[in-house]
Amino acid sequence: MLSLPLFRGFSLMFIVAPCYKPPKKKSKAWPKLECPPIDGDLLVDARALYDGGNLVAAAMTARVEIERQLTTLALKYPKFGSGWQGIGRTAVWLFDRRILRSNTFDSVMAAADVGNRAAHGQLVTKTEVLNMLGAVESLRYTVRRKGGVA
Protein backbone atom coordinates (compact mmCIF):
# COMPACT_ATOMS: atom_id res chain seq x y z
CA MET A 1 0.00 0.00 0.00
CA LEU A 2 1.27 3.45 -0.89
CA SER A 3 0.12 6.65 0.83
CA LEU A 4 0.64 10.15 -0.55
CA PRO A 5 -0.20 13.30 1.47
CA LEU A 6 -2.49 15.67 -0.43
CA PHE A 7 -3.31 18.61 1.83
CA ARG A 8 -4.12 19.29 5.50
CA GLY A 9 -5.08 15.95 6.98
CA PHE A 10 -6.00 14.20 3.78
CA SER A 11 -3.97 11.62 2.00
CA LEU A 12 -4.43 9.45 -1.05
CA MET A 13 -3.85 5.73 -0.77
CA PHE A 14 -2.99 3.36 -3.62
CA ILE A 15 -3.06 -0.36 -3.46
CA VAL A 16 -0.35 -1.73 -5.67
CA ALA A 17 -0.95 -5.22 -6.98
CA PRO A 18 0.90 -7.23 -9.59
CA CYS A 19 -0.62 -6.98 -13.05
CA TYR A 20 -1.21 -9.87 -15.37
CA LYS A 21 0.90 -9.69 -18.50
CA PRO A 22 -0.05 -12.10 -21.25
CA PRO A 23 2.87 -14.01 -22.73
CA LYS A 24 4.41 -12.42 -25.81
CA LYS A 25 3.33 -13.96 -29.07
CA LYS A 26 6.04 -15.68 -30.97
CA SER A 27 6.27 -14.35 -34.49
CA LYS A 28 5.98 -16.94 -37.18
CA ALA A 29 9.05 -17.57 -39.25
CA TRP A 30 8.68 -16.75 -42.92
CA PRO A 31 8.34 -19.84 -45.12
CA LYS A 32 11.53 -20.83 -46.91
CA LEU A 33 11.99 -19.06 -50.23
CA GLU A 34 11.67 -21.74 -52.88
CA CYS A 35 9.91 -22.23 -56.17
CA PRO A 36 8.59 -25.81 -56.36
CA PRO A 37 7.99 -27.15 -59.86
CA ILE A 38 4.50 -27.09 -61.32
CA ASP A 39 3.41 -29.17 -64.28
CA GLY A 40 1.87 -27.01 -66.97
CA ASP A 41 1.65 -23.27 -67.41
CA LEU A 42 -0.35 -21.33 -64.85
CA LEU A 43 -0.84 -18.41 -67.22
CA VAL A 44 -2.42 -20.74 -69.79
CA ASP A 45 -4.63 -22.16 -67.04
CA ALA A 46 -5.63 -18.67 -65.87
CA ARG A 47 -6.50 -17.66 -69.43
CA ALA A 48 -8.63 -20.80 -69.88
CA LEU A 49 -10.47 -20.05 -66.63
CA TYR A 50 -10.96 -16.43 -67.73
CA ASP A 51 -12.32 -17.54 -71.12
CA GLY A 52 -14.69 -19.92 -69.32
CA GLY A 53 -16.05 -17.09 -67.18
CA ASN A 54 -14.46 -18.31 -63.94
CA LEU A 55 -13.07 -14.94 -62.91
CA VAL A 56 -12.31 -15.77 -59.28
CA ALA A 57 -10.40 -18.94 -60.18
CA ALA A 58 -8.56 -17.10 -62.96
CA ALA A 59 -7.55 -14.31 -60.58
CA MET A 60 -6.32 -16.73 -57.93
CA THR A 61 -4.36 -18.76 -60.48
CA ALA A 62 -2.77 -15.59 -61.86
CA ARG A 63 -1.87 -14.55 -58.31
CA VAL A 64 -0.06 -17.85 -57.74
CA GLU A 65 1.90 -17.29 -60.96
CA ILE A 66 2.82 -13.77 -59.82
CA GLU A 67 4.15 -15.24 -56.56
CA ARG A 68 6.16 -17.79 -58.53
CA GLN A 69 7.69 -15.16 -60.81
CA LEU A 70 8.56 -12.87 -57.90
CA THR A 71 10.15 -15.84 -56.12
CA THR A 72 12.18 -16.65 -59.23
CA LEU A 73 13.47 -13.08 -59.28
CA ALA A 74 14.15 -12.93 -55.53
CA LEU A 75 16.12 -16.20 -55.65
CA LYS A 76 18.56 -14.55 -58.05
CA TYR A 77 19.51 -11.99 -55.39
CA PRO A 78 21.01 -13.50 -52.20
CA LYS A 79 20.64 -10.16 -50.36
CA PHE A 80 16.86 -10.67 -50.48
CA GLY A 81 17.15 -13.36 -47.84
CA SER A 82 15.99 -16.93 -47.58
CA GLY A 83 12.36 -16.41 -46.53
CA TRP A 84 9.28 -15.56 -48.55
CA GLN A 85 7.99 -12.13 -47.55
CA GLY A 86 4.76 -11.91 -49.51
CA ILE A 87 3.93 -10.28 -52.82
CA GLY A 88 3.95 -6.69 -51.57
CA ARG A 89 7.24 -6.75 -49.67
CA THR A 90 8.98 -8.76 -52.38
CA ALA A 91 7.78 -6.45 -55.15
CA VAL A 92 8.81 -3.36 -53.16
CA TRP A 93 12.26 -4.85 -52.47
CA LEU A 94 12.76 -5.65 -56.16
CA PHE A 95 11.46 -2.23 -57.21
CA ASP A 96 13.69 -0.35 -54.76
CA ARG A 97 16.72 -2.07 -56.29
CA ARG A 98 15.56 -1.23 -59.81
CA ILE A 99 14.99 -4.89 -60.68
CA LEU A 100 11.32 -4.22 -61.41
CA ARG A 101 10.39 -1.28 -63.60
CA SER A 102 7.69 1.07 -62.37
CA ASN A 103 4.99 -0.08 -64.81
CA THR A 104 5.60 -3.73 -63.88
CA PHE A 105 5.64 -2.88 -60.18
CA ASP A 106 2.35 -0.95 -60.46
CA SER A 107 0.65 -3.76 -62.37
CA VAL A 108 1.91 -6.39 -59.90
CA MET A 109 0.63 -4.41 -56.90
CA ALA A 110 -2.77 -3.88 -58.56
CA ALA A 111 -2.90 -7.56 -59.49
CA ALA A 112 -2.09 -8.59 -55.92
CA ASP A 113 -5.01 -6.50 -54.70
CA VAL A 114 -7.38 -8.14 -57.20
CA GLY A 115 -6.07 -11.60 -56.28
CA ASN A 116 -6.58 -10.92 -52.58
CA ARG A 117 -10.12 -9.70 -53.15
CA ALA A 118 -10.89 -12.80 -55.23
CA ALA A 119 -9.45 -15.07 -52.55
CA HIS A 120 -11.70 -13.44 -49.94
CA GLY A 121 -14.86 -13.87 -51.98
CA GLN A 122 -15.24 -10.32 -53.24
CA LEU A 123 -16.29 -9.59 -56.79
CA VAL A 124 -13.66 -9.03 -59.45
CA THR A 125 -14.35 -7.69 -62.93
CA LYS A 126 -13.28 -9.05 -66.29
CA THR A 127 -11.11 -5.99 -66.83
CA GLU A 128 -9.31 -6.48 -63.52
CA VAL A 129 -8.59 -10.13 -64.26
CA LEU A 130 -7.45 -9.29 -67.79
CA ASN A 131 -5.08 -6.70 -66.30
CA MET A 132 -3.78 -9.39 -63.93
CA LEU A 133 -2.95 -11.61 -66.89
CA GLY A 134 -1.06 -8.68 -68.40
CA ALA A 135 0.84 -8.25 -65.11
CA VAL A 136 1.91 -11.90 -65.29
CA GLU A 137 3.18 -11.41 -68.83
CA SER A 138 5.08 -8.26 -67.82
CA LEU A 139 6.62 -10.03 -64.85
CA ARG A 140 7.62 -12.99 -67.02
CA TYR A 141 9.33 -10.61 -69.41
CA THR A 142 11.27 -9.12 -66.49
CA VAL A 143 12.33 -12.57 -65.28
CA ARG A 144 13.59 -13.47 -68.78
CA ARG A 145 15.36 -10.11 -69.08
CA LYS A 146 17.15 -10.71 -65.77
CA GLY A 147 18.34 -14.13 -66.92
CA GLY A 148 15.80 -16.32 -65.19
CA VAL A 149 13.43 -18.92 -66.55
CA ALA A 150 9.90 -17.54 -66.66
Side-chain angles (χ1 to χ4, degrees), residues 95 98-109 138:
F95 177 70
R98 300 190 192 288
I99 298 163
L100 285 182
R101 294 179 178 162
S102 61
N103 59 345
T104 302
F105 172 76
D106 293 341
S107 66
V108 164
M109 295 306 284
S138 179

Side-chain angles (χ1 to χ4, degrees), residues 11-34:
S11 62
L12 184 62
M13 290 214 252
F14 293 99
I15 297 177
V16 180
C19 296
Y20 170 75
K21 288 186 180 179
K24 291 186 177 181
K25 292 183 180 179
K26 293 180 182 177
S27 61
K28 287 191 221 175
W30 292 105
K32 185 178 180 212
L33 183 64
E34 60 183 344

Side-chain angles (χ1 to χ4, degrees), residues 21-142:
K21 288 186 180 179
K24 291 186 177 181
K25 292 183 180 179
K26 293 180 182 177
S27 61
K28 287 191 221 175
W30 292 105
K32 185 178 180 212
L33 183 64
E34 60 183 344
C35 199
I38 289 184
D39 293 332
D41 185 344
L42 291 176
L43 182 57
V44 170
D45 294 345
R47 285 188 192 281
L49 290 164
Y50 174 82
D51 292 340
N54 298 310
L55 299 180
V56 171
M60 291 174 63
T61 303
R63 187 182 189 284
V64 170
E65 182 61 10
I66 288 170
E67 287 180 0
R68 290 183 56 74
Q69 295 302 316
L70 288 173
T71 300
T72 301
L73 273 176
L75 283 169
K76 296 186 67 54
Y77 301 93
K79 288 185 179 181
F80 178 78
S82 62
W84 173 246
Q85 298 181 21
I87 286 179
R89 280 184 162 176
T90 304
V92 167
W93 191 90
L94 294 167
F95 177 70
D96 287 346
R97 282 144 190 88
R98 300 190 192 288
I99 298 163
L100 285 182
R101 294 179 178 162
S102 61
N103 59 345
T104 302
F105 172 76
D106 293 341
S107 66
V108 164
M109 295 306 284
D113 178 56
V114 174
N116 287 340
R117 286 192 291 120
H120 292 282
Q122 297 175 5
L123 292 176
V124 293
T125 66
K126 282 187 154 193
T127 304
E128 289 173 326
V129 177
L130 195 57
N131 289 339
M132 279 188 85
L133 301 177
V136 172
E137 288 176 350
S138 179
L139 198 49
R140 281 184 169 188
Y141 173 76
T142 301

